[in-house]
Amino acid sequence: MKSTNMTNYNAVTPVNHFSVGNSSSHIEPYQRPFDDLGIQLSGVIIFTFLIIGIALNLLTILVICKYKKLRNLFVYFIFSLCVSDLISAIISSLFWYRRTLGFDLWEIPDFFCKFFWAADITTTFSTALHIMAFAVLRWIWLNFPTKKIKTRTALIIISLIWFLCITCGFVPYAIFCGSRIRDRYGKTMDARWPACTLNPEWIEEYLLFQRIAFPIFLYVPLGVIVIVSVIIVVQLRASIQSGIGDALGSTARMNRRRQIMQAVLQLMLIVISFLIGYVPFTAYEFWSLQHHPNTRYHRVFDYWFGMSEYLCIRFSECLNPIFYNIGSSKMRKCTIRYIKEKFGVNEPQIGNTWITTNNASRRQLSRINTNSRHA
């Protein structure tokens, strides 16, 4: 498809109204699908999620780096997921700009537009593949507890995931997307899109890419995640019911059951967070590529649908570090310990010192009393 010709489009004044050269009088002036309140409200929400997402994901990364006892193949996946969510949080400021101040005229270098789209789809694909691999490995761990999966294997899987996502996500989107003035009076999908988005001359190639890449990197992983999660829950329920009779059995059996419960809880929370973020994303992808009338209703609906699905992704990525700690008592303890050390909260050490000193004083006093009685 050829690029849009905008000779009669007033590109210098990206405000609330745009004028058309010698257009017929029945064409209504163009209005942005948002107002100043929308800019401010979306900015407050996105930048709040940006701060929370960076702080929580960076905290989890630092905790994993500091405490070697946390490191196992599942924690390496969590570490990589935090890196992905951290990148998403950082680039979310570009999303806010493209959906508000830069909606009609992208005034910063085009590089940032291409980088946003390329990095965004890379982290999207990466998240789906990470969680799918995490779920499958959890199933293997639950059903074959004696079978050891080497940490090296997990690192190879993670490296392969990032290689595929960069090759099949970052590179194509850097080609497909760009910033330009959009023809707000046209009848194409391009009319309701922000200035920084998919370039219309690549629409056919993008649709082919979507039919091939989205099932591989999103829909199949989503299906596997749901199926494996259901199987794990069913197996856990059957295991609990069969173990009611030996509830007073060996300590090792009870510890194993507790480990399984924590593992399943962690997986379920991660899956819930994934669904919160990426089901709306998938729905919007289908909507935005459909032909709809170029009316104000459809422009406003498209705008806020796109804004809402992105806020869902940001929300889910803020939940992830919280869920990692809820689902793992060891992770939770290390996180609390790390925060106390960094912020100078040494109460446990002070308390232990006081208790030790107090006990020693009591023992010394007891010896003095004993000696006095013997004397």
Side-chain angles (χ1 to χ4, degrees):
M1 182 181 295
K2 296 181 180 180
S3 60
T4 307
N5 186 356
M6 299 285 302
T7 55
N8 64 342
Y9 190 78
N10 183 4
V12 184
T13 317
V15 289
N16 287 339
H17 297 276
F18 284 80
S19 60
V20 177
N22 297 321
S23 58
S24 52
S25 59
H26 70 275
I27 299 179
E28 296 181 358
Y30 165 72
Q31 288 183 300
R32 284 178 168 178
F34 56 91
D35 54 16
D36 291 341
L37 179 60
I39 295 175
Q40 296 164 5
L41 180 60
S42 61
V44 169
I45 297 174
I46 285 180
F47 281 95
T48 299
F49 286 161
L50 182 150
I51 295 170
I52 295 174
I54 291 177
L56 294 182
N57 283 289
L58 188 59
L59 173 63
T60 306
I61 290 171
L62 293 174
V63 169
I64 294 173
C65 289
K66 181 174 178 61
Y67 300 106
K68 294 183 178 180
K69 65 181 181 179
L70 284 176
R71 299 177 194 173
N72 55 48
L73 73 150
F74 299 110
V75 171
Y76 282 116
F77 276 94
I78 289 176
F79 181 92
S80 189
L81 275 169
C82 285
V83 172
S84 179
D85 290 346
L86 183 61
I87 295 172
S88 293
I90 293 172
I91 65 174
S92 62
S93 57
L94 289 173
F95 174 87
W96 177 78
Y97 176 78
R98 69 177 284 269
R99 277 285 179 174
T100 55
L101 305 180
F103 185 82
D104 288 311
L105 187 61
W106 184 268
E107 297 185 290
I108 60 178
D110 185 60
F111 164 81
F112 292 101
C113 173
K114 291 182 174 294
F115 179 79
F116 165 77
W117 278 107
D120 187 64
I121 197 64
T122 300
T123 55
T124 297
F125 286 172
S126 170
T127 299
L129 293 182
H130 272 86
I131 296 177
M132 181 184 70
F134 189 91
V136 172
L137 289 174
R138 276 298 188 197
W139 180 84
I140 294 174
W141 178 79
L142 291 171
N143 288 273
F144 306 97
T146 59
K147 184 177 179 60
K148 296 263 185 174
I149 302 175
K150 296 181 179 179
T151 303
R152 181 182 176 185
T153 303
L155 295 176
I156 292 174
I157 294 173
I158 292 171
S159 301
L160 182 61
I161 287 174
W162 279 108
F163 174 78
L164 289 174
C165 293
I166 292 172
T167 304
C168 302
F170 192 96
V171 175
Y173 267 68
I175 297 172
F176 294 153
C177 299
S179 59
R180 63 176 61 181
I181 306 287
R182 306 291 164 173
D183 183 4
R184 300 304 183 193
Y185 295 93
K187 295 182 179 180
T188 64
M189 295 174 287
D190 186 55
R192 63 177 187 270
W193 290 347
C196 169
T197 192
L198 177 67
N199 287 325
E201 64 268 23
W202 289 102
I203 188 69
E204 294 180 4
E205 291 80 2
Y206 177 77
L207 289 172
L208 177 62
F209 169 85
Q210 190 186 59
R211 286 193 292 268
I212 296 173
F214 275 46
I216 295 174
F217 291 96
L218 279 178
Y219 308 145
V220 171
L222 178 60
V224 172
I225 290 167
V226 172
I227 292 171
V228 172
S229 300
V230 171
I231 291 174
I232 290 175
V233 170
V234 171
Q235 289 180 335
L236 177 63
R237 183 177 179 182
S239 175
I240 293 175
Q241 289 179 347
S242 63
I244 293 177
D246 58 352
L248 300 177
S250 65
T251 304
R253 189 183 298 111
M254 295 179 67
N255 289 337
R256 172 65 180 172
R257 187 175 294 123
R258 185 162 51 249
Q259 290 176 356
I260 292 174
M261 292 289 290
Q262 287 187 352
V264 173
L265 174 63
Q266 187 180 60
L267 174 61
M268 291 301 105
L269 291 175
I270 293 174
V271 170
I272 290 171
S273 176
F274 176 77
L275 295 176
I276 289 173
Y278 290 97
V279 169
F281 166 82
T282 304
Y284 178 71
E285 280 294 313
F286 280 108
W287 157 266
S288 63
L289 290 173
Q290 303 300 315
H291 289 278
H292 301 287
N294 187 14
T295 62
R296 177 160 179 79
Y297 168 80
H298 287 92
R299 289 196 299 268
V300 172
F301 186 86
D302 182 274
Y303 178 85
W304 287 107
F305 192 179
M307 180 68 76
S308 300
E309 63 87 12
Y310 193 79
L311 292 178
C312 288
I313 294 177
R314 296 281 73 75
F315 177 64
S316 71
E317 290 172 352
C318 291
L319 287 177
N320 282 338
I322 298 173
F323 287 166
Y324 301 151
N325 284 275
I326 291 176
S328 172
S329 58
K330 187 182 291 186
M331 174 80 75
R332 186 166 59 251
K333 291 176 182 177
C334 288
T335 300
I336 294 172
R337 179 181 174 186
Y338 182 85
I339 293 173
K340 288 181 177 180
E341 289 177 357
K342 285 300 177 182
F343 287 92
V345 182
N346 297 318
E347 292 181 359
Q349 297 177 1
I350 295 173
N352 290 337
T353 303
W354 182 84
I355 292 172
T356 303
T357 305
N358 193 37
N359 288 339
S361 301
R362 288 179 179 177
R363 287 194 297 269
Q364 185 176 3
L365 182 62
S366 178
R367 285 196 297 269
I368 291 173
N369 292 335
T370 303
N371 293 335
S372 298
R373 286 196 299 271
H374 285 302

